[in-house]
């Protein structure tokens, strides 16, 4: 299902795909690394309910761009 969504986003003109993944959620971190998402920064103090989390901002080029772009 995700591959279809990604194809649709690319066909619709998306140049980058971005995810936020809570640090320590190992399954989610691995899940998004497998299709090529790469961490570009971390954001501390993101409040979700009663918890404050550190979030990995992960991106993946959707078009012809590269991470250096």
């Amino acid at each position: 299902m995700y591959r279809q969504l990604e194809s649709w986003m690319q066909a619709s003109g998306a140049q980058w795909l971005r995810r936020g993944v809570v640090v320590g959620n190992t399954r989610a971190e691995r899940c998004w690394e497998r299709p090529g998402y790469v961490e570009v920064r971390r954001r501390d103090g993101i409040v979700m309910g009663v918890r404050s989390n550190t979030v990995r901002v992960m991106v993946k080029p959707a078009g012809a761009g590269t991470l250096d772009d």
Side-chain angles (χ1 to χ4, degrees):
M1 184 180 348
Y2 175 74
R3 283 189 291 257
Q4 290 176 333
L5 176 62
E6 188 173 306
S7 294
W8 175 80
M9 289 185 286
Q10 291 173 334
S12 297
Q15 296 181 16
W16 298 96
L17 307 177
R18 184 173 78 164
R19 299 237 100 40
V21 182
V22 175
V23 171
N25 185 344
T26 307
R27 287 182 68 192
E29 291 176 294
R30 288 183 190 147
C31 174
W32 296 114
E33 289 169 348
R34 275 193 295 274
Y37 283 85
V38 177
E39 181 178 327
V40 293
R41 68 180 277 203
R42 289 187 181 216
R43 296 187 62 205
D44 296 319
I46 304 299
V47 177
M48 298 176 191
V50 296
R51 299 181 109 174
S52 180
N53 296 291
T54 299
V55 173
R56 294 175 66 188
V57 178
M58 302 180 79
V59 299
K60 176 181 177 179
T66 65
L67 288 176
D68 291 334
D69 295 337

